[in-house]
Amino acid sequence: MNKILVWDFPLRFFHWLLVICMVGSFYTGFTGEMVWHFRCGYAILTLILFRIGWGFFGSTYARFNSFLFKPSEIFNYLRQFFNKNPPNHYVGHNPMGGISVIVLLGLILIQVISGLFSTDDIASEGPLYILVSNKMASFFTTLHKTNFKFLLLIMTVHISAVFFYLLYKKENLIKPMITGYKTTFETPYLKPTKIWISSILWVLSICLVALIVNLPIVLKFLE
């Protein structure tokens, strides 16, 4: 068997930092520590923007085209889902894992964007709240609260699936996301991405979030 690098450092750094920020966001939201709740939200938005960029410019298995499968392949995978030794093995994300990534990224993006326009009608409001009407702010606030339930559900399914693969299929998905390496019979080649591309994406993501958060100030300055 071959020990190969599948998940590069930028992807692993993104993954675990996102986990930390999501936990921080949930905790501060429940405890009412809104200053830190917003800060966690800004960090999460930065991470998601980076991941979107890395999905196009990252290494082989981080790219979206490596885990966006045809409906027929997804269906065939589902037919073999409970087979402990399926005929097809995937070095990167399998079809269900790919769907999970897309859904999670989408729901998290909806959550942070809606949070930018939300208000608790007491003392806290998103940085872009003043740019929309009260009706729109109410819509985004409701969306923020409702989407959280879907997000929590999908995250629970995602974590449960990881343990299902570990305990039932004897496939450890956690360790490769820590070390970056998988052991497989296949000999695929990981096409790496230059570290400067990762650095540029991080800088662009940080700058874009800073611009979004301070958009009311920027617009007022340009008047």
Side-chain angles (χ1 to χ4, degrees):
M1 297 186 73
N2 303 300
K3 187 176 181 180
I4 61 171
L5 180 65
V6 176
W7 309 125
D8 56 19
F9 177 75
L11 181 65
R12 286 178 282 136
F13 180 75
F14 153 81
H15 181 274
W16 294 114
L17 192 56
L18 180 63
V19 171
I20 293 172
C21 290
M22 291 295 291
V23 171
S25 178
F26 291 167
Y27 175 78
T28 54
F30 282 123
T31 58
E33 299 177 35
M34 299 311 294
V35 172
W36 281 102
H37 184 69
F38 281 116
R39 289 173 178 171
C40 288
Y42 303 152
I44 292 170
L45 181 56
T46 302
L47 290 166
I48 296 300
L49 292 178
F50 168 80
R51 182 63 183 92
I52 292 174
W54 204 239
F56 293 100
F57 302 104
S59 57
T60 304
Y61 303 107
R63 298 195 178 197
F64 294 129
N65 60 13
S66 73
F67 57 85
L68 293 178
F69 299 92
K70 296 179 180 179
S72 58
E73 189 165 0
I74 296 174
F75 178 73
N76 288 332
Y77 182 81
L78 287 174
R79 289 177 57 191
Q80 302 289 335
F81 187 70
F82 290 99
N83 187 344
K84 293 185 178 181
N85 296 293
N88 295 325
H89 295 274
Y90 298 89
V91 178
H93 291 298
N94 59 51
M96 293 308 297
I99 292 175
S100 176
V101 170
I102 297 300
V103 172
L104 275 172
L105 290 178
L107 289 177
I108 294 173
L109 190 60
I110 291 173
Q111 191 68 8
V112 292
I113 290 178
S114 61
L116 295 173
F117 299 92
S118 298
T119 177
D120 62 3
D121 293 321
I122 301 176
S124 300
E125 55 190 35
L128 304 186
Y129 168 76
I130 63 174
L131 299 181
V132 297
S133 64
N134 290 335
K135 184 177 181 179
M136 285 301 299
S138 177
F139 166 78
F140 281 115
T141 302
T142 301
L143 177 62
H144 193 69
K145 294 178 180 178
T146 304
N147 186 70
F148 169 73
K149 299 176 182 178
F150 288 105
L151 181 58
L152 199 59
L153 173 63
I154 295 300
M155 290 179 65
T156 301
V157 172
H158 179 75
I159 295 172
S160 299
V162 170
F163 284 100
F164 171 79
Y165 275 85
L166 178 64
L167 301 176
Y168 181 79
K169 293 196 172 188
K170 307 303 179 183
E171 182 179 354
N172 192 334
L173 301 177
I174 302 173
K175 185 177 179 180
M177 192 54 72
I178 296 174
T179 66
Y181 288 88
K182 280 188 176 182
T183 303
T184 176
F185 286 107
E186 302 180 42
T187 56
Y189 171 68
L190 176 74
K191 183 180 180 181
T193 300
K194 300 293 184 181
I195 191 66
W196 62 267
I197 295 180
S198 170
S199 300
I200 289 176
L201 287 176
W202 280 117
V203 171
L204 288 176
S205 299
I206 292 172
C207 291
L208 184 55
V209 171
L211 176 62
I212 292 172
V213 171
N214 294 284
L215 188 58
I217 298 175
V218 174
L219 292 176
K220 186 174 182 180
F221 176 78
L222 295 176
E223 287 181 355

